[in-house]
PDB file of all heavy atoms in Angstrom:
ATOM      1  N   GLU A   1      67.751 106.576 100.982  1.00  0.00           N
ATOM      2  CA  GLU A   1      68.155 107.367 102.104  1.00  0.00           C
ATOM      3  C   GLU A   1      68.001 106.587 103.415  1.00  0.00           C
ATOM      4  O   GLU A   1      68.968 106.574 104.269  1.00  0.00           O
ATOM      5  CB  GLU A   1      67.306 108.628 102.211  1.00  0.00           C
ATOM      6  CG  GLU A   1      67.621 109.642 101.128  1.00  0.00           C
ATOM      7  CD  GLU A   1      66.624 110.766 101.101  1.00  0.00           C
ATOM      8  OE1 GLU A   1      65.819 110.896 102.058  1.00  0.00           O
ATOM      9  OE2 GLU A   1      66.709 111.635 100.221  1.00  0.00           O
ATOM     10  N   GLN A   2      66.969 105.877 103.547  1.00  0.00           N
ATOM     11  CA  GLN A   2      66.734 105.048 104.745  1.00  0.00           C
ATOM     12  C   GLN A   2      67.797 103.951 104.842  1.00  0.00           C
ATOM     13  O   GLN A   2      68.354 103.700 105.904  1.00  0.00           O
ATOM     14  CB  GLN A   2      65.319 104.404 104.718  1.00  0.00           C
ATOM     15  CG  GLN A   2      64.939 103.624 105.985  1.00  0.00           C
ATOM     16  CD  GLN A   2      63.555 103.084 105.900  1.00  0.00           C
ATOM     17  OE1 GLN A   2      62.869 103.278 104.883  1.00  0.00           O
ATOM     18  NE2 GLN A   2      63.118 102.444 106.962  1.00  0.00           N
ATOM     19  N   GLN A   3      68.114 103.317 103.707  1.00  0.00           N
ATOM     20  CA  GLN A   3      69.079 102.310 103.691  1.00  0.00           C
ATOM     21  C   GLN A   3      70.507 102.917 104.050  1.00  0.00           C
ATOM     22  O   GLN A   3      71.321 102.275 104.812  1.00  0.00           O
ATOM     23  CB  GLN A   3      69.163 101.667 102.352  1.00  0.00           C
ATOM     24  CG  GLN A   3      69.943 100.317 102.251  1.00  0.00           C
ATOM     25  CD  GLN A   3      71.345 100.576 101.657  1.00  0.00           C
ATOM     26  OE1 GLN A   3      71.647 101.586 101.041  1.00  0.00           O
ATOM     27  NE2 GLN A   3      72.162  99.522 101.891  1.00  0.00           N
ATOM     28  N   ASN A   4      70.740 104.097 103.522  1.00  0.00           N
ATOM     29  CA  ASN A   4      72.076 104.748 103.834  1.00  0.00           C
ATOM     30  C   ASN A   4      72.131 105.073 105.304  1.00  0.00           C
ATOM     31  O   ASN A   4      73.200 104.913 105.944  1.00  0.00           O
ATOM     32  CB  ASN A   4      72.235 106.010 102.997  1.00  0.00           C
ATOM     33  CG  ASN A   4      72.579 105.658 101.506  1.00  0.00           C
ATOM     34  OD1 ASN A   4      73.081 104.587 101.254  1.00  0.00           O
ATOM     35  ND2 ASN A   4      72.338 106.646 100.618  1.00  0.00           N
ATOM     36  N   ARG A   5      71.048 105.570 105.905  1.00  0.00           N
ATOM     37  CA  ARG A   5      71.011 105.861 107.363  1.00  0.00           C
ATOM     38  C   ARG A   5      71.172 104.592 108.118  1.00  0.00           C
ATOM     39  O   ARG A   5      71.957 104.521 109.164  1.00  0.00           O
ATOM     40  CB  ARG A   5      69.742 106.571 107.709  1.00  0.00           C
ATOM     41  CG  ARG A   5      69.625 108.011 107.320  1.00  0.00           C
ATOM     42  CD  ARG A   5      68.488 108.769 108.004  1.00  0.00           C
ATOM     43  NE  ARG A   5      67.180 108.080 107.731  1.00  0.00           N
ATOM     44  CZ  ARG A   5      66.351 108.459 106.710  1.00  0.00           C
ATOM     45  NH1 ARG A   5      66.761 109.374 105.879  1.00  0.00           N
ATOM     46  NH2 ARG A   5      65.191 107.817 106.557  1.00  0.00           N
ATOM     47  N   ALA A   6      70.510 103.461 107.725  1.00  0.00           N
ATOM     48  CA  ALA A   6      70.642 102.176 108.440  1.00  0.00           C
ATOM     49  C   ALA A   6      72.048 101.720 108.365  1.00  0.00           C
ATOM     50  O   ALA A   6      72.609 101.190 109.329  1.00  0.00           O
ATOM     51  CB  ALA A   6      69.642 101.168 107.896  1.00  0.00           C
ATOM     52  N   LEU A   7      72.658 101.847 107.140  1.00  0.00           N
ATOM     53  CA  LEU A   7      74.054 101.382 107.012  1.00  0.00           C
ATOM     54  C   LEU A   7      74.995 102.213 107.823  1.00  0.00           C
ATOM     55  O   LEU A   7      75.931 101.655 108.528  1.00  0.00           O
ATOM     56  CB  LEU A   7      74.507 101.478 105.483  1.00  0.00           C
ATOM     57  CG  LEU A   7      75.903 101.069 105.167  1.00  0.00           C
ATOM     58  CD1 LEU A   7      76.149  99.608 105.443  1.00  0.00           C
ATOM     59  CD2 LEU A   7      76.205 101.349 103.731  1.00  0.00           C
ATOM     60  N   SER A   8      74.810 103.506 107.849  1.00  0.00           N
ATOM     61  CA  SER A   8      75.652 104.411 108.637  1.00  0.00           C
ATOM     62  C   SER A   8      75.512 104.043 110.131  1.00  0.00           C
ATOM     63  O   SER A   8      76.522 103.926 110.845  1.00  0.00           O
ATOM     64  CB  SER A   8      75.262 105.855 108.417  1.00  0.00           C
ATOM     65  OG  SER A   8      75.983 106.714 109.239  1.00  0.00           O
ATOM     66  N   SER A   9      74.266 103.791 110.560  1.00  0.00           N
ATOM     67  CA  SER A   9      74.009 103.428 111.942  1.00  0.00           C
ATOM     68  C   SER A   9      74.678 102.146 112.301  1.00  0.00           C
ATOM     69  O   SER A   9      75.330 101.928 113.279  1.00  0.00           O
ATOM     70  CB  SER A   9      72.519 103.382 112.217  1.00  0.00           C
ATOM     71  OG  SER A   9      72.254 102.909 113.479  1.00  0.00           O
ATOM     72  N   HIS A  10      74.536 101.182 111.356  1.00  0.00           N
ATOM     73  CA  HIS A  10      75.171  99.852 111.496  1.00  0.00           C
ATOM     74  C   HIS A  10      76.713  99.969 111.633  1.00  0.00           C
ATOM     75  O   HIS A  10      77.326  99.347 112.507  1.00  0.00           O
ATOM     76  CB  HIS A  10      74.717  98.915 110.386  1.00  0.00           C
ATOM     77  CG  HIS A  10      75.447  97.593 110.358  1.00  0.00           C
ATOM     78  ND1 HIS A  10      75.135  96.646 111.357  1.00  0.00           N
ATOM     79  CD2 HIS A  10      76.453  97.075 109.626  1.00  0.00           C
ATOM     80  CE1 HIS A  10      75.917  95.574 111.102  1.00  0.00           C
ATOM     81  NE2 HIS A  10      76.684  95.844 110.051  1.00  0.00           N
ATOM     82  N   LEU A  11      77.246 100.784 110.734  1.00  0.00           N
ATOM     83  CA  LEU A  11      78.724 100.964 110.777  1.00  0.00           C
ATOM     84  C   LEU A  11      79.183 101.683 112.104  1.00  0.00           C
ATOM     85  O   LEU A  11      80.203 101.264 112.632  1.00  0.00           O
ATOM     86  CB  LEU A  11      79.203 101.785 109.507  1.00  0.00           C
ATOM     87  CG  LEU A  11      79.086 101.006 108.242  1.00  0.00           C
ATOM     88  CD1 LEU A  11      79.482 101.996 107.101  1.00  0.00           C
ATOM     89  CD2 LEU A  11      79.927  99.759 108.175  1.00  0.00           C
ATOM     90  N   ASP A  12      78.370 102.641 112.566  1.00  0.00           N
ATOM     91  CA  ASP A  12      78.705 103.280 113.892  1.00  0.00           C
ATOM     92  C   ASP A  12      78.641 102.297 114.990  1.00  0.00           C
ATOM     93  O   ASP A  12      79.546 102.239 115.866  1.00  0.00           O
ATOM     94  CB  ASP A  12      77.737 104.418 114.094  1.00  0.00           C
ATOM     95  CG  ASP A  12      77.992 105.667 113.248  1.00  0.00           C
ATOM     96  OD1 ASP A  12      79.140 105.723 112.656  1.00  0.00           O
ATOM     97  OD2 ASP A  12      77.085 106.498 113.125  1.00  0.00           O
ATOM     98  N   LEU A  13      77.543 101.508 114.987  1.00  0.00           N
ATOM     99  CA  LEU A  13      77.469 100.520 116.045  1.00  0.00           C
ATOM    100  C   LEU A  13      78.593  99.427 115.964  1.00  0.00           C
ATOM    101  O   LEU A  13      79.082  99.011 117.003  1.00  0.00           O
ATOM    102  CB  LEU A  13      76.094  99.790 115.957  1.00  0.00           C
ATOM    103  CG  LEU A  13      74.900 100.711 116.322  1.00  0.00           C
ATOM    104  CD1 LEU A  13      73.583  99.958 116.072  1.00  0.00           C
ATOM    105  CD2 LEU A  13      74.967 101.113 117.797  1.00  0.00           C
ATOM    106  N   THR A  14      78.946  99.072 114.768  1.00  0.00           N
ATOM    107  CA  THR A  14      80.035  98.139 114.566  1.00  0.00           C
ATOM    108  C   THR A  14      81.339  98.731 115.065  1.00  0.00           C
ATOM    109  O   THR A  14      82.136  98.020 115.837  1.00  0.00           O
ATOM    110  CB  THR A  14      80.174  97.708 113.104  1.00  0.00           C
ATOM    111  OG1 THR A  14      78.924  97.208 112.615  1.00  0.00           O
ATOM    112  CG2 THR A  14      81.245  96.661 112.888  1.00  0.00           C
ATOM    113  N   ASP A  15      81.583  99.977 114.743  1.00  0.00           N
ATOM    114  CA  ASP A  15      82.782 100.689 115.300  1.00  0.00           C
ATOM    115  C   ASP A  15      82.771 100.739 116.793  1.00  0.00           C
ATOM    116  O   ASP A  15      83.780 100.447 117.450  1.00  0.00           O
ATOM    117  CB  ASP A  15      82.883 102.097 114.692  1.00  0.00           C
ATOM    118  CG  ASP A  15      83.319 102.182 113.262  1.00  0.00           C
ATOM    119  OD1 ASP A  15      83.837 101.105 112.759  1.00  0.00           O
ATOM    120  OD2 ASP A  15      83.089 103.165 112.598  1.00  0.00           O
ATOM    121  N   GLN A  16      81.590 101.037 117.378  1.00  0.00           N
ATOM    122  CA  GLN A  16      81.500 101.102 118.877  1.00  0.00           C
ATOM    123  C   GLN A  16      81.801  99.748 119.441  1.00  0.00           C
ATOM    124  O   GLN A  16      82.512  99.576 120.469  1.00  0.00           O
ATOM    125  CB  GLN A  16      80.140 101.577 119.265  1.00  0.00           C
ATOM    126  CG  GLN A  16      79.854 103.037 119.038  1.00  0.00           C
ATOM    127  CD  GLN A  16      78.404 103.420 119.376  1.00  0.00           C
ATOM    128  OE1 GLN A  16      77.678 102.626 119.975  1.00  0.00           O
ATOM    129  NE2 GLN A  16      78.099 104.635 119.013  1.00  0.00           N
ATOM    130  N   LEU A  17      81.230  98.673 118.818  1.00  0.00           N
ATOM    131  CA  LEU A  17      81.481  97.312 119.282  1.00  0.00           C
ATOM    132  C   LEU A  17      82.969  96.955 119.205  1.00  0.00           C
ATOM    133  O   LEU A  17      83.483  96.318 120.166  1.00  0.00           O
ATOM    134  CB  LEU A  17      80.603  96.360 118.537  1.00  0.00           C
ATOM    135  CG  LEU A  17      80.661  94.859 118.936  1.00  0.00           C
ATOM    136  CD1 LEU A  17      80.195  94.673 120.340  1.00  0.00           C
ATOM    137  CD2 LEU A  17      79.852  93.996 118.037  1.00  0.00           C
ATOM    138  N   LEU A  18      83.592  97.313 118.066  1.00  0.00           N
ATOM    139  CA  LEU A  18      85.046  97.034 117.921  1.00  0.00           C
ATOM    140  C   LEU A  18      85.825  97.732 118.997  1.00  0.00           C
ATOM    141  O   LEU A  18      86.741  97.199 119.629  1.00  0.00           O
ATOM    142  CB  LEU A  18      85.484  97.417 116.531  1.00  0.00           C
ATOM    143  CG  LEU A  18      85.217  96.477 115.404  1.00  0.00           C
ATOM    144  CD1 LEU A  18      85.586  97.058 114.044  1.00  0.00           C
ATOM    145  CD2 LEU A  18      85.944  95.133 115.616  1.00  0.00           C
ATOM    146  N   ASN A  19      85.533  98.996 119.235  1.00  0.00           N
ATOM    147  CA  ASN A  19      86.205  99.774 120.272  1.00  0.00           C
ATOM    148  C   ASN A  19      86.047  99.154 121.659  1.00  0.00           C
ATOM    149  O   ASN A  19      86.961  98.993 122.477  1.00  0.00           O
ATOM    150  CB  ASN A  19      85.757 101.240 120.335  1.00  0.00           C
ATOM    151  CG  ASN A  19      86.300 102.048 119.151  1.00  0.00           C
ATOM    152  OD1 ASN A  19      87.331 101.611 118.592  1.00  0.00           O
ATOM    153  ND2 ASN A  19      85.552 103.088 118.734  1.00  0.00           N
ATOM    154  N   LEU A  20      84.785  98.719 121.905  1.00  0.00           N
ATOM    155  CA  LEU A  20      84.479  98.086 123.179  1.00  0.00           C
ATOM    156  C   LEU A  20      85.300  96.776 123.324  1.00  0.00           C
ATOM    157  O   LEU A  20      85.838  96.542 124.401  1.00  0.00           O
ATOM    158  CB  LEU A  20      82.996  97.800 123.257  1.00  0.00           C
ATOM    159  CG  LEU A  20      82.456  97.201 124.556  1.00  0.00           C
ATOM    160  CD1 LEU A  20      82.622  98.174 125.730  1.00  0.00           C
ATOM    161  CD2 LEU A  20      80.995  96.808 124.387  1.00  0.00           C
ATOM    162  N   GLN A  21      85.325  96.034 122.200  1.00  0.00           N
ATOM    163  CA  GLN A  21      86.026  94.742 122.247  1.00  0.00           C
ATOM    164  C   GLN A  21      87.589  95.046 122.369  1.00  0.00           C
ATOM    165  O   GLN A  21      88.279  94.281 123.126  1.00  0.00           O
ATOM    166  CB  GLN A  21      85.747  93.892 121.022  1.00  0.00           C
ATOM    167  CG  GLN A  21      84.379  93.345 120.964  1.00  0.00           C
ATOM    168  CD  GLN A  21      84.117  92.337 122.096  1.00  0.00           C
ATOM    169  OE1 GLN A  21      85.034  91.666 122.574  1.00  0.00           O
ATOM    170  NE2 GLN A  21      82.854  92.296 122.475  1.00  0.00           N
ATOM    171  N   ARG A  22      88.133  96.032 121.820  1.00  0.00           N
ATOM    172  CA  ARG A  22      89.565  96.423 121.889  1.00  0.00           C
ATOM    173  C   ARG A  22      89.871  96.792 123.372  1.00  0.00           C
ATOM    174  O   ARG A  22      90.864  96.352 123.881  1.00  0.00           O
ATOM    175  CB  ARG A  22      89.907  97.568 120.970  1.00  0.00           C
ATOM    176  CG  ARG A  22      90.081  97.067 119.568  1.00  0.00           C
ATOM    177  CD  ARG A  22      90.644  98.207 118.691  1.00  0.00           C
ATOM    178  NE  ARG A  22      90.560  97.785 117.310  1.00  0.00           N
ATOM    179  CZ  ARG A  22      89.928  98.453 116.356  1.00  0.00           C
ATOM    180  NH1 ARG A  22      89.351  99.639 116.616  1.00  0.00           N
ATOM    181  NH2 ARG A  22      89.861  97.992 115.106  1.00  0.00           N
ATOM    182  N   ARG A  23      88.980  97.604 123.922  1.00  0.00           N
ATOM    183  CA  ARG A  23      89.168  97.972 125.356  1.00  0.00           C
ATOM    184  C   ARG A  23      89.108  96.728 126.235  1.00  0.00           C
ATOM    185  O   ARG A  23      89.960  96.623 127.202  1.00  0.00           O
ATOM    186  CB  ARG A  23      88.183  99.021 125.795  1.00  0.00           C
ATOM    187  CG  ARG A  23      88.620 100.406 125.318  1.00  0.00           C
ATOM    188  CD  ARG A  23      87.678 101.500 125.877  1.00  0.00           C
ATOM    189  NE  ARG A  23      86.652 101.715 124.905  1.00  0.00           N
ATOM    190  CZ  ARG A  23      85.388 101.971 125.179  1.00  0.00           C
ATOM    191  NH1 ARG A  23      84.975 102.033 126.446  1.00  0.00           N
ATOM    192  NH2 ARG A  23      84.500 102.143 124.206  1.00  0.00           N
ATOM    193  N   ARG A  24      88.169  95.912 125.994  1.00  0.00           N
ATOM    194  CA  ARG A  24      88.036  94.692 126.819  1.00  0.00           C
ATOM    195  C   ARG A  24      89.277  93.835 126.663  1.00  0.00           C
ATOM    196  O   ARG A  24      89.800  93.267 127.671  1.00  0.00           O
ATOM    197  CB  ARG A  24      86.761  93.968 126.381  1.00  0.00           C
ATOM    198  CG  ARG A  24      86.465  92.776 127.213  1.00  0.00           C
ATOM    199  CD  ARG A  24      85.101  92.137 126.764  1.00  0.00           C
ATOM    200  NE  ARG A  24      84.995  90.865 127.354  1.00  0.00           N
ATOM    201  CZ  ARG A  24      84.881  89.695 126.734  1.00  0.00           C
ATOM    202  NH1 ARG A  24      84.819  89.690 125.416  1.00  0.00           N
ATOM    203  NH2 ARG A  24      84.790  88.627 127.376  1.00  0.00           N
ATOM    204  N   LEU A  25      89.742  93.733 125.396  1.00  0.00           N
ATOM    205  CA  LEU A  25      90.989  92.963 125.156  1.00  0.00           C
ATOM    206  C   LEU A  25      92.160  93.558 125.908  1.00  0.00           C
ATOM    207  O   LEU A  25      93.031  92.849 126.466  1.00  0.00           O
ATOM    208  CB  LEU A  25      91.249  92.890 123.653  1.00  0.00           C
ATOM    209  CG  LEU A  25      92.410  91.987 123.208  1.00  0.00           C
ATOM    210  CD1 LEU A  25      92.163  90.495 123.636  1.00  0.00           C
ATOM    211  CD2 LEU A  25      92.555  92.017 121.716  1.00  0.00           C
ATOM    212  N   GLU A  26      92.164  94.900 125.847  1.00  0.00           N
ATOM    213  CA  GLU A  26      93.351  95.570 126.618  1.00  0.00           C
ATOM    214  C   GLU A  26      93.294  95.282 128.081  1.00  0.00           C
ATOM    215  O   GLU A  26      94.209  94.911 128.720  1.00  0.00           O
ATOM    216  CB  GLU A  26      93.263  97.050 126.360  1.00  0.00           C
ATOM    217  CG  GLU A  26      93.707  97.541 125.022  1.00  0.00           C
ATOM    218  CD  GLU A  26      93.549  99.043 124.758  1.00  0.00           C
ATOM    219  OE1 GLU A  26      93.304  99.783 125.688  1.00  0.00           O
ATOM    220  OE2 GLU A  26      93.688  99.462 123.609  1.00  0.00           O
ATOM    221  N   TYR A  27      92.029  95.344 128.672  1.00  0.00           N
ATOM    222  CA  TYR A  27      91.853  95.078 130.098  1.00  0.00           C
ATOM    223  C   TYR A  27      92.224  93.617 130.410  1.00  0.00           C
ATOM    224  O   TYR A  27      92.920  93.289 131.379  1.00  0.00           O
ATOM    225  CB  TYR A  27      90.431  95.294 130.549  1.00  0.00           C
ATOM    226  CG  TYR A  27      90.078  96.788 130.584  1.00  0.00           C
ATOM    227  CD1 TYR A  27      88.809  97.212 130.083  1.00  0.00           C
ATOM    228  CD2 TYR A  27      90.890  97.708 131.196  1.00  0.00           C
ATOM    229  CE1 TYR A  27      88.481  98.575 130.048  1.00  0.00           C
ATOM    230  CE2 TYR A  27      90.560  99.061 131.222  1.00  0.00           C
ATOM    231  CZ  TYR A  27      89.335  99.512 130.662  1.00  0.00           C
ATOM    232  OH  TYR A  27      89.020 100.809 130.732  1.00  0.00           O
ATOM    233  N   LEU A  28      91.792  92.731 129.499  1.00  0.00           N
ATOM    234  CA  LEU A  28      92.183  91.290 129.657  1.00  0.00           C
ATOM    235  C   LEU A  28      93.730  91.080 129.559  1.00  0.00           C
ATOM    236  O   LEU A  28      94.286  90.338 130.365  1.00  0.00           O
ATOM    237  CB  LEU A  28      91.466  90.427 128.666  1.00  0.00           C
ATOM    238  CG  LEU A  28      89.929  90.297 128.899  1.00  0.00           C
ATOM    239  CD1 LEU A  28      89.307  89.504 127.715  1.00  0.00           C
ATOM    240  CD2 LEU A  28      89.594  89.495 130.170  1.00  0.00           C
ATOM    241  N   GLU A  29      94.258  91.795 128.605  1.00  0.00           N
ATOM    242  CA  GLU A  29      95.727  91.622 128.408  1.00  0.00           C
ATOM    243  C   GLU A  29      96.444  92.224 129.683  1.00  0.00           C
ATOM    244  O   GLU A  29      97.460  91.650 130.164  1.00  0.00           O
ATOM    245  CB  GLU A  29      96.220  92.423 127.222  1.00  0.00           C
ATOM    246  CG  GLU A  29      96.031  91.667 125.895  1.00  0.00           C
ATOM    247  CD  GLU A  29      96.413  92.379 124.660  1.00  0.00           C
ATOM    248  OE1 GLU A  29      96.830  93.625 124.782  1.00  0.00           O
ATOM    249  OE2 GLU A  29      96.366  91.859 123.513  1.00  0.00           O
ATOM    250  N   GLN A  30      95.898  93.361 130.145  1.00  0.00           N
ATOM    251  CA  GLN A  30      96.604  93.910 131.403  1.00  0.00           C
ATOM    252  C   GLN A  30      96.380  92.960 132.568  1.00  0.00           C
ATOM    253  O   GLN A  30      97.336  92.750 133.344  1.00  0.00           O
ATOM    254  CB  GLN A  30      95.926  95.297 131.701  1.00  0.00           C
ATOM    255  CG  GLN A  30      96.271  96.415 130.786  1.00  0.00           C
ATOM    256  CD  GLN A  30      95.570  97.737 131.067  1.00  0.00           C
ATOM    257  OE1 GLN A  30      94.676  97.782 131.988  1.00  0.00           O
ATOM    258  NE2 GLN A  30      95.913  98.738 130.317  1.00  0.00           N
ATOM    259  N   GLY A  31      95.219  92.397 132.689  1.00  0.00           N
ATOM    260  CA  GLY A  31      94.988  91.428 133.779  1.00  0.00           C
ATOM    261  C   GLY A  31      95.866  90.234 133.608  1.00  0.00           C
ATOM    262  O   GLY A  31      96.419  89.743 134.615  1.00  0.00           O
ATOM    263  N   PHE A  32      95.998  89.737 132.348  1.00  0.00           N
ATOM    264  CA  PHE A  32      96.909  88.641 132.056  1.00  0.00           C
ATOM    265  C   PHE A  32      98.359  88.956 132.440  1.00  0.00           C
ATOM    266  O   PHE A  32      99.041  88.156 133.030  1.00  0.00           O
ATOM    267  CB  PHE A  32      96.687  88.166 130.660  1.00  0.00           C
ATOM    268  CG  PHE A  32      97.559  87.062 130.244  1.00  0.00           C
ATOM    269  CD1 PHE A  32      97.269  85.783 130.684  1.00  0.00           C
ATOM    270  CD2 PHE A  32      98.712  87.255 129.486  1.00  0.00           C
ATOM    271  CE1 PHE A  32      98.066  84.646 130.348  1.00  0.00           C
ATOM    272  CE2 PHE A  32      99.471  86.174 129.127  1.00  0.00           C
ATOM    273  CZ  PHE A  32      99.188  84.925 129.517  1.00  0.00           C
ATOM    274  N   SER A  33      98.768  90.128 131.982  1.00  0.00           N
ATOM    275  CA  SER A  33     100.110  90.551 132.203  1.00  0.00           C
ATOM    276  C   SER A  33     100.312  90.679 133.748  1.00  0.00           C
ATOM    277  O   SER A  33     101.431  90.294 134.288  1.00  0.00           O
ATOM    278  CB  SER A  33     100.437  91.917 131.599  1.00  0.00           C
ATOM    279  OG  SER A  33     100.409  91.764 130.202  1.00  0.00           O
ATOM    280  N   ALA A  34      99.322  91.172 134.503  1.00  0.00           N
ATOM    281  CA  ALA A  34      99.465  91.278 135.878  1.00  0.00           C
ATOM    282  C   ALA A  34      99.522  89.936 136.561  1.00  0.00           C
ATOM    283  O   ALA A  34     100.349  89.705 137.431  1.00  0.00           O
ATOM    284  CB  ALA A  34      98.308  92.088 136.530  1.00  0.00           C
ATOM    285  N   GLN A  35      98.738  88.993 136.013  1.00  0.00           N
ATOM    286  CA  GLN A  35      98.801  87.621 136.589  1.00  0.00           C
ATOM    287  C   GLN A  35     100.108  86.982 136.245  1.00  0.00           C
ATOM    288  O   GLN A  35     100.721  86.307 137.177  1.00  0.00           O
ATOM    289  CB  GLN A  35      97.615  86.741 136.041  1.00  0.00           C
ATOM    290  CG  GLN A  35      96.308  87.111 136.651  1.00  0.00           C
ATOM    291  CD  GLN A  35      95.182  86.182 136.094  1.00  0.00           C
ATOM    292  OE1 GLN A  35      95.420  85.463 135.144  1.00  0.00           O
ATOM    293  NE2 GLN A  35      94.060  86.313 136.748  1.00  0.00           N
ATOM    294  N   VAL A  36     100.607  87.150 135.026  1.00  0.00           N
ATOM    295  CA  VAL A  36     101.921  86.619 134.667  1.00  0.00           C
ATOM    296  C   VAL A  36     103.014  87.232 135.561  1.00  0.00           C
ATOM    297  O   VAL A  36     103.902  86.505 136.031  1.00  0.00           O
ATOM    298  CB  VAL A  36     102.162  86.830 133.116  1.00  0.00           C
ATOM    299  CG1 VAL A  36     103.678  86.570 132.813  1.00  0.00           C
ATOM    300  CG2 VAL A  36     101.270  85.977 132.279  1.00  0.00           C
ATOM    301  N   GLY A  37     102.904  88.506 135.752  1.00  0.00           N
ATOM    302  CA  GLY A  37     103.934  89.201 136.626  1.00  0.00           C
ATOM    303  C   GLY A  37     103.836  88.654 138.012  1.00  0.00           C
ATOM    304  O   GLY A  37     104.902  88.448 138.698  1.00  0.00           O
ATOM    305  N   ALA A  38     102.609  88.432 138.487  1.00  0.00           N
ATOM    306  CA  ALA A  38     102.432  87.938 139.918  1.00  0.00           C
ATOM    307  C   ALA A  38     102.960  86.473 139.966  1.00  0.00           C
ATOM    308  O   ALA A  38     103.680  86.075 140.978  1.00  0.00           O
ATOM    309  CB  ALA A  38     100.949  88.002 140.277  1.00  0.00           C
ATOM    310  N   LEU A  39     102.691  85.700 138.939  1.00  0.00           N
ATOM    311  CA  LEU A  39     103.138  84.296 138.920  1.00  0.00           C
ATOM    312  C   LEU A  39     104.726  84.300 138.831  1.00  0.00           C
ATOM    313  O   LEU A  39     105.345  83.418 139.452  1.00  0.00           O
ATOM    314  CB  LEU A  39     102.542  83.564 137.786  1.00  0.00           C
ATOM    315  CG  LEU A  39     101.135  83.117 137.965  1.00  0.00           C
ATOM    316  CD1 LEU A  39     100.569  82.497 136.674  1.00  0.00           C
ATOM    317  CD2 LEU A  39     100.953  82.157 139.076  1.00  0.00           C
ATOM    318  N   LYS A  40     105.220  85.200 137.998  1.00  0.00           N
ATOM    319  CA  LYS A  40     106.724  85.268 137.940  1.00  0.00           C
ATOM    320  C   LYS A  40     107.324  85.623 139.302  1.00  0.00           C
ATOM    321  O   LYS A  40     108.286  85.018 139.691  1.00  0.00           O
ATOM    322  CB  LYS A  40     107.154  86.300 136.822  1.00  0.00           C
ATOM    323  CG  LYS A  40     107.142  85.799 135.472  1.00  0.00           C
ATOM    324  CD  LYS A  40     107.706  86.862 134.531  1.00  0.00           C
ATOM    325  CE  LYS A  40     107.641  86.390 133.053  1.00  0.00           C
ATOM    326  NZ  LYS A  40     108.159  87.400 132.200  1.00  0.00           N
ATOM    327  N   ALA A  41     106.708  86.575 139.941  1.00  0.00           N
ATOM    328  CA  ALA A  41     107.217  87.058 141.267  1.00  0.00           C
ATOM    329  C   ALA A  41     107.123  85.902 142.236  1.00  0.00           C
ATOM    330  O   ALA A  41     108.062  85.702 143.041  1.00  0.00           O
ATOM    331  CB  ALA A  41     106.459  88.253 141.737  1.00  0.00           C
TER     332      ALA A  41
END
């Protein structure tokens, strides 16, 4: 039971980390796109 709880907690934390990384990537992509747009302009 303890191992299952630890695994569940680990999977939740991993999901949170993935979501955080996806949002960070989206912000970076948006910043990059904005910089590309500014450079193009």
Side-chain angles (χ1 to χ4, degrees):
E1 289 172 6
Q2 185 179 1
Q3 192 261 345
N4 286 337
R5 284 193 303 270
L7 179 63
S8 176
S9 174
H10 174 71
L11 291 176
D12 288 342
L13 289 174
T14 305
D15 286 343
Q16 289 175 9
L17 182 62
L18 281 174
N19 287 333
L20 183 65
Q21 291 296 330
R22 282 189 191 123
R23 279 186 268 141
R24 186 172 167 242
L25 187 59
E26 285 175 12
Y27 292 132
L28 288 174
E29 282 178 354
Q30 287 175 1
F32 179 73
S33 294
Q35 283 181 354
V36 168
L39 285 174
K40 277 185 182 178

